[in-house]
Amino acid sequence: MGQKLATNMQRHLNETFSTSLCSLLSPVPKSFFSKIQPTQEDSHICTSSLPAPERLQELMAMPSIAPEQQVEHGWNPKDASPSIVVSQSHLTFSRRPTPQTTDGIRSKMGYSSGIHIWEITWPAMKRGTHAVVGVATKNMPLQAEGYQALLGSDQHSWGLDLDRGLLYHNTSNICSPASRRYPTDERPGSQEASLVPFPDCFLMVLDFDAGTLGYALKNGRYLGVAFQGLKGMTLYPSVSAVWGNCEVSLRYRNGLQPQPSSLQQLCRLSVRSALGPSRLDGVSALPLPLAMKKYVLYQ
C-alpha cells in the first residue's frame, strides 16, 4: 500500500511540478520550462505489453556504486567453467578457445529482493553463434558439449541470445511462433520489430517486486519484460559463451530494496524529469540553495 501511495504521489508531482516550480522561482522565466518536451521514443525499438518497473526511473537517476564496491558484485572465478578466466578486477572474464564446448559463469552475489541494474559489455564482433546473457540459480551447469544456448537450457536459468534476439528457458524459446524476437512490438496492427544484434553495451534489469527480468539501452530506454514469474528465487547474473577469447564485462550500477520512496526523493525525481537529461547541467545556475542543487544532482 505504501508503494502504491508513493507511486500516486509521484504521478501527481510530475503533473504539477512545472507550474509549481515556475511560481516558486520567479526569476526563472516560464519559457525555460515550456520548452521542455517529453523524450521521443525510438520507433525502431518496441517493448512488451508489461510495463517498465515502477522504480526504474529512480534507479537510473542514481549514480553508480563506488568502483571498490564493484568487486563484490563481479564475476565469480570459483563459480565458472574451467575454460573461463576472470580478470584481477573480477569485472571481466575471457573464454579460452576451447573447441566444441559451451562455457558459463555466474556472478559472486545472488539477489532475491528489490530491483537491480547491471551494465554489460560484450562486443558484437566477439560473440559467436551463441552469446547468451541472463540469470540463473546455483543449479545451472556451467559447461556443456557442443555449441548451444547453455544459459536457458534448463529450468534453473533464463537467457537472451544477443545476436538472435531469442529468449530461452527450460530448453525452449519461451516466445510464441508469432512473436519469437525480443524486444517485440505488441501494439495492434504493428509488425514485429527487433533490436538484433544487441549493442556492445546494454543494461539488464532484475525486478523482484514484479518478478521480472528485462533489458534496456545504456541511456535507460527500457526494451520490455523478457521473463516473468521470478519471485521467491535467488538469482545470479550469468553468461554462456562459445567464442574463443571473447571478453564480457559485468558492472553493477545500483539497486533499491522494496520500500516506498521518500517524499524528498520523489520531488528530486520530478525536478530531474521536468528538466530532462540535457538540462541537468543548468541546475547550478538556478536560484536555489546550494544544498538543494547538490541534492538534485546526487552530490
Side-chain angles (χ1 to χ4, degrees):
M1 180 176 180
Q3 181 64 49
K4 183 177 180 180
L5 177 62
T7 301
N8 292 335
M9 187 176 298
Q10 181 177 7
R11 186 181 297 113
H12 176 71
L13 286 169
N14 286 336
E15 293 173 350
T16 61
F17 170 75
S18 294
T19 303
S20 300
L21 191 59
C22 284
S23 61
L24 289 172
L25 304 178
S26 54
V28 183
K30 290 187 178 182
S31 59
F32 178 83
F33 298 96
S34 63
K35 293 179 181 178
I36 299 174
Q37 299 295 331
T39 302
Q40 296 296 318
E41 295 186 352
D42 188 335
S43 60
H44 298 288
I45 301 172
C46 309
T47 62
S48 71
S49 59
L50 294 176
E54 291 184 356
R55 307 186 75 188
L56 179 59
Q57 180 185 2
E58 180 179 356
L59 190 53
M60 285 298 304
M62 295 170 59
S64 298
I65 62 174
E68 55 269 20
Q69 295 177 293
Q70 295 286 347
V71 178
E72 303 173 9
H73 300 265
W75 296 120
N76 189 350
K78 298 180 180 179
D79 197 13
S81 162
S83 297
I84 296 290
V85 179
V86 178
S87 67
Q88 188 173 4
S89 68
H90 290 190
L91 300 182
T92 302
F93 80 81
S94 61
R95 177 187 176 273
R96 296 189 181 97
T98 308
Q100 294 302 315
T101 67
T102 301
D103 303 280
I105 185 172
R106 277 182 284 260
S107 65
K108 290 182 179 180
M109 189 173 294
Y111 307 82
S112 58
S113 64
I115 177 173
H116 308 271
I117 293 184
W118 296 265
E119 182 178 301
I120 298 171
T121 303
W122 192 344
M125 297 298 294
K126 295 184 177 181
R127 291 177 182 170
T129 56
H130 296 85
V132 188
V133 174
V135 294
T137 70
K138 280 289 189 179
N139 296 321
M140 186 200 80
L142 295 175
Q143 190 174 56
E145 294 184 1
Y147 301 138
Q148 59 177 283
L150 176 60
L151 183 63
S153 64
D154 61 12
Q155 61 180 327
H156 306 294
S157 57
W158 298 258
L160 165 67
D161 187 315
L162 298 179
D163 285 350
R164 292 183 174 90
L166 295 177
L167 300 173
Y168 293 105
H169 171 59
N170 203 16
T171 73
S172 64
N173 175 18
I174 69 165
C175 298
S176 66
S179 178
R180 298 185 58 194
R181 301 287 182 181
Y182 174 89
T184 57
D185 190 343
E186 298 181 358
R187 291 171 297 181
S190 63
Q191 295 182 347
E192 182 182 85
S194 300
L195 186 72
V196 176
F198 259 59
D200 292 354
C201 185
F202 58 94
L203 305 178
M204 185 168 70
V205 184
L206 182 59
D207 179 15
F208 282 104
D209 296 339
T212 61
L213 176 69
Y215 301 84
L217 300 184
K218 193 175 179 181
N219 63 4
R221 175 75 169 88
Y222 193 64
L223 301 178
V225 172
F227 300 97
Q228 55 185 325
L230 303 181
K231 289 185 178 182
M233 291 180 273
T234 299
L235 298 174
Y236 299 77
S238 305
V239 160
S240 65
V242 300
W243 185 267
N245 295 318
C246 70
E247 292 188 349
V248 184
S249 297
L250 176 74
R251 187 169 71 91
Y252 181 72
R253 290 184 56 158
N254 224 317
L256 288 169
Q257 289 305 309
Q259 58 187 11
S261 301
S262 66
L263 180 59
Q264 189 177 22
Q265 168 66 355
L266 292 174
C267 289
R268 171 165 57 186
L269 289 175
S270 294
V271 171
R272 294 176 65 95
S273 176
L275 293 177
S278 63
R279 297 182 184 272
L280 289 177
D281 291 341
V283 169
S284 59
L286 292 175
L288 296 172
L290 180 60
M292 186 177 296
K293 295 178 185 178
K294 289 185 175 181
Y295 184 76
V296 170
L297 296 174
Y298 285 93
Q299 295 178 352

